[in-house]
Amino acid sequence: MISNDNQLAVTILGSGTCVPSLKRSSCSVLMRTGDTILLFDSGAGTMRRLLEAGVEVYDVSFVFYSHFHPDHTGELVPFLFSNKYPDGSRRKKPLTLVAGKGFLKFYENLKFVYGHWIELGPGLSNIVELDNANYDMRRFDDFKVESLPMEHNPESIAYRITGPGGESVVFSGDTDFSENLVVLSKDADLLICESALPDGLKVNGHLTPSLAGEIARRANVRKLVLTHFYPECDRADIEKECRKSYTGPLILAEDLMKIEI
Ligand SMILES: [Zn+2]
Ligand SMILES: [Zn+2]
């Protein structure tokens, strides 16, 4: 992966869902700011896509979780276990896991099952729980993280990352239509937004292309990336549906796609 110092660089790792697909891995997004590597969600296939993007598991410093559904968290356990190979010494940087309230319990339950197999060495892991009911903001290294609750699961939050140059990227995770997502995305350089199913197949808890477009238009984002596509999306004209509500720069995510900010 090309290093782009002091600017957020974004690569879509998985543009899919829980549905097995050779084309679309489960949800994951890679970001880099300076030397710091961030992951957003880690569904099945994430580690393979990471390798394809030229990143080793040991080099990831942060994993942010939008919520706990398996298509977003499924590869957390294999990810932690892989960091212990061959003797845990290849990870030099601490790993920080960030998620909405409830994640500590989620992690403790995983530890109840997997025990020391998923525990990194002393000082090598931290967990940060963000408020899942209100706005939250934290600063890490050279970037800022803001979050707001989404309309999906009780723990669901979306993230806005602001890099050292002031550039901003929003990651929606899964959500239904959300005024909070409009607020969090206000004037962002990039909105990576779920668009799970075509307009005619809307389900509770998820967006469609035209609803994602409406959020992007109202938030005045500079660029919109649609992702989290169920197979039905690959049989519909997603771009045309999104264009009903949004006329700005639009990208339909594919695995390993690099996104310019
Ligand atoms: Zn999902
Ligand atoms: Zn979900």
Side-chain angles (χ1 to χ4, degrees), residues 218-231:
R218 285 184 49 206
N220 191 38
V221 301
R222 282 193 47 234
K223 193 185 282 185
L224 171 64
V225 176
L226 298 183
T227 190
H228 198 274
F229 294 129
Y230 278 98

Side-chain angles (χ1 to χ4, degrees), residues 11-256:
T11 304
I12 304 294
L13 295 180
S15 58
T17 59
C18 61
V19 181
S21 163
L22 294 174
K23 186 176 147 189
R24 299 191 187 280
S25 278
S26 296
C27 191
S28 186
V29 174
L30 171 66
M31 274 187 223
R32 185 190 288 254
T33 161
D35 290 332
T36 309
I37 294 176
L38 290 57
L39 268 187
F40 291 81
D41 291 341
S42 65
T46 296
M47 289 197 290
R48 186 186 173 100
R49 291 291 190 239
L50 261 183
L51 270 185
E52 289 173 308
V55 176
E56 299 252 29
V57 290
Y58 318 103
D59 294 329
V60 174
S61 293
F62 292 86
V63 188
F64 294 86
Y65 285 105
S66 62
H67 65 298
F68 307 155
H69 276 156
D71 57 323
H72 299 254
T73 57
E75 216 155 281
L76 172 58
V77 163
F79 178 85
L80 293 170
F81 190 47
S82 73
N83 272 274
K84 295 175 75 73
Y85 169 83
D87 58 2
S89 65
R90 289 185 67 185
R91 172 165 283 279
K92 310 285 187 217
K93 311 166 181 176
L95 175 71
T96 301
L97 304 174
V98 185
K101 205 163 167 34
F103 185 76
L104 265 173
K105 187 165 177 231
F106 178 85
Y107 178 74
E108 287 304 318
N109 285 337
L110 292 176
K111 257 189 12 191
F112 181 74
V113 175
Y114 290 104
H116 67 90
W117 296 336
I118 60 167
E119 282 181 53
L120 305 184
L124 281 180
S125 64
N126 313 298
I127 289 179
V128 176
E129 275 190 342
L130 299 184
D131 194 335
N132 62 334
N134 299 287
Y135 172 80
D136 205 340
M137 192 275 277
R138 308 291 167 102
R139 288 179 194 279
F140 299 102
D141 297 356
D142 61 351
F143 63 93
K144 179 172 87 172
V145 179
E146 295 166 279
S147 66
L148 277 174
M150 291 293 110
E151 303 290 332
H152 188 69
N153 272 3
E155 75 280 5
S156 286
I157 52 177
Y159 294 98
R160 180 179 179 127
I161 307 298
T162 304
E167 65 281 13
S168 53
V169 178
V170 174
F171 173 65
S172 71
D174 288 1
T175 188
D176 207 318
F177 191 85
S178 162
E179 289 296 334
N180 276 351
L181 188 53
V182 176
V183 170
L184 192 69
S185 307
K186 194 71 191 154
D187 300 322
D189 292 302
L190 186 67
L191 167 60
I192 303 167
C193 190
E194 81 119 286
S195 169
L197 287 158
D199 280 6
L201 299 173
K202 167 99 179 71
V203 294
N204 282 342
H206 286 289
L207 291 167
T208 60
S210 65
L211 287 174
E214 188 180 332
I215 288 167
R217 177 176 50 78
R218 285 184 49 206
N220 191 38
V221 301
R222 282 193 47 234
K223 193 185 282 185
L224 171 64
V225 176
L226 298 183
T227 190
H228 198 274
F229 294 129
Y230 278 98
E232 288 85 342
C233 290
D234 290 319
R235 300 190 281 272
D237 192 341
I238 295 304
E239 180 164 1
K240 189 175 168 194
E241 294 183 2
C242 186
R243 287 299 181 207
K244 289 186 217 163
S245 51
Y246 173 76
T247 56
L250 172 64
I251 294 170
L252 306 185
E254 289 175 15
D255 288 17
L256 297 173

